[in-house]
Amino acid sequence: MTNPWAGEVEVTLDGVAHRAKLTLGALAELEAGLGEASLMDLVERFEAGRFSSRDVLALLVAGLRGGGWQGCAQDLRCVEVAGGPVAAAQIAATLLARAFGPVGGG
């Protein structure tokens, strides 16, 4: 069970629920991996609907790792995300909103 007030989001991979959260460490890893000058650039892309599948994947990996998952991006290549690509993008957007929104927001 996830706690949205703590910025957590549930991600179901191959039928198994995982907790995802963008911790400070996960955000730093995400920023380094995307090569963004600022995480706000990524937030702006999501707000404008200009995100890529690479952005979604990077956010999912960072959030899952922030939630304690030990995998990497390659581990998600053959995994079924419940709800498919659209749900994955919604989860990624929710992770961002909960990390950068008002306390307990999202």
Side-chain angles (χ1 to χ4, degrees), residues 6 17 23 28-29 31 33-34 50-51 71 76 84 96 98:
T23 62
E29 188 176 312
E31 190 173 37
L34 290 176
R50 294 183 293 109
F51 57 89
L76 295 182
L96 277 175
R98 290 188 180 163

Side-chain angles (χ1 to χ4, degrees), residues 50-92:
R50 294 183 293 109
F51 57 89
S52 67
S53 58
R54 178 177 162 248
D55 293 334
V56 171
L57 180 63
L59 275 161
L60 288 180
V61 170
L64 286 163
R65 290 180 54 78
W69 185 67
Q70 298 298 309
C72 65
Q74 287 193 357
D75 296 327
L76 295 182
R77 288 179 54 213
C78 297
V79 170
E80 178 70 28
V81 177
V86 171
Q90 291 169 338
I91 291 166

